[in-house]
Amino acid sequence: FIRMLKMVRRFHKIEILLHVLSTTIDALKLLLFMVSIIVLAFSIVLYVVDDPLEIDSLSTAIYMCIVTVTTVGYGDITPKSWPAKVVSGCLCFISVLFMAMPLSVVGNAMSETWSDRHRILLVTRARRRLKTWGVSADDLPNIFKKFDADGNGELGMDEFIDFISRMKVGIKPSEASDLFLAFDTDGSGGIDEKEFMKTLFPVDYRRIYRRASTAA
């Protein structure tokens, strides 16, 4: 099992799946919370209205509702009384409508990520290689100024490719051109310090520049 987990490192496109999860985690947490409320509410109603011999505890009712909501439907526990059957039917309809939302959220995020997979993989590879060389987000502003040969506050295409080459990021010149376009979010033909930081270290970008603006 450990060897199989080590093999995952060879599949670089696993980064795409991790990116999808990171972009949808907030929406999924909300949907999971709503599912928990639906399961708990219907479990209480079923526990009250159904035959005690069939649903003998609240935990049994919760189990039945989870099986129903997830559309597994084992059938080992079924409602016996007519009120419980009506409640279960309503739960089935609500489950079909509600479970379509997380599937569509993840599916849409996966579609968008897959269409942008080349840029995501290049940025991820560059970030990983820089971390391997011991370069942190706090070091990037100084590194950026070092490679800004003309001192205009931006890295041009040639300056950026020189940066990729001298930092031994492990990206070919043709890939470096594509990576340059990924960094140049405003299409100005140059990468300023904030674009540079925001693409490579988005979390640290908010921390560093928020601190700078607060100090100012």
Side-chain angles (χ1 to χ4, degrees):
F1 178 73
I2 300 298
R3 290 181 179 179
M4 291 182 66
L5 289 179
K6 289 182 178 180
M7 288 179 62
V8 173
R9 293 182 297 180
R10 299 182 177 272
F11 298 96
H12 298 296
K13 288 185 173 57
I14 196 69
E15 299 288 347
I16 295 177
L17 179 59
L18 296 177
H19 185 270
V20 170
L21 294 177
S22 66
T23 55
T24 59
I25 188 66
D26 289 334
L28 292 179
K29 285 191 291 187
L30 174 61
L31 293 172
L32 182 61
F33 176 71
M34 294 301 298
V35 168
S36 302
I37 292 178
I38 291 172
V39 168
L40 184 59
F42 276 88
S43 298
I44 294 173
V45 175
L46 283 174
Y47 178 62
V48 171
V49 302
D50 202 14
D51 187 350
L53 297 178
E54 184 64 23
I55 300 181
D56 55 355
S57 64
L58 183 59
S59 59
T60 303
I62 292 175
Y63 164 75
M64 177 185 166
C65 288
I66 291 175
V67 170
T68 303
V69 167
T70 55
T71 68
V72 175
Y74 284 125
D76 52 342
I77 300 175
T78 56
K80 295 301 181 182
S81 65
W82 277 108
K85 291 180 180 180
V86 171
V87 172
S88 299
C90 294
L91 179 60
C92 289
F93 280 111
I94 293 175
S95 301
V96 170
L97 295 174
F98 192 85
M99 292 304 291
M101 287 190 285
L103 294 177
S104 62
V105 168
V106 175
N108 184 58
M110 186 64 191
S111 178
E112 292 180 355
T113 301
W114 184 255
S115 63
D116 200 26
R117 65 189 182 279
H118 190 56
R119 182 192 68 84
I120 293 171
L121 292 175
L122 283 177
V123 171
T124 303
R125 195 196 313 174
R127 184 187 302 121
R128 185 186 298 117
R129 186 60 62 92
L130 288 174
K131 287 182 176 180
T132 301
W133 284 99
V135 177
S136 66
D138 295 310
D139 300 322
L140 277 186
N142 293 329
I143 294 175
F144 181 89
K145 293 175 183 177
K146 180 180 179 180
F147 285 93
D148 182 16
D150 53 10
N152 65 346
E154 291 186 345
L155 293 183
M157 177 73 77
D158 295 335
E159 292 171 330
F160 182 78
I161 293 177
D162 180 52
F163 162 77
I164 293 296
S165 176
R166 292 175 62 182
M167 292 299 295
K168 299 180 180 179
V169 176
I171 293 177
K172 301 175 182 177
S174 59
E175 293 178 326
S177 300
D178 295 334
L179 187 60
F180 177 85
L181 297 176
F183 277 74
D184 186 18
T185 54
D186 59 3
S188 63
I191 303 171
D192 61 29
E193 182 182 321
K194 290 187 177 181
E195 287 177 325
F196 195 68
M197 176 72 75
K198 188 175 183 179
T199 304
L200 273 178
F201 299 101
V203 176
D204 295 290
Y205 166 81
R206 292 190 289 270
R207 173 180 59 84
I208 292 173
Y209 288 98
R210 184 182 300 167
R211 182 177 60 192
S213 61
T214 302

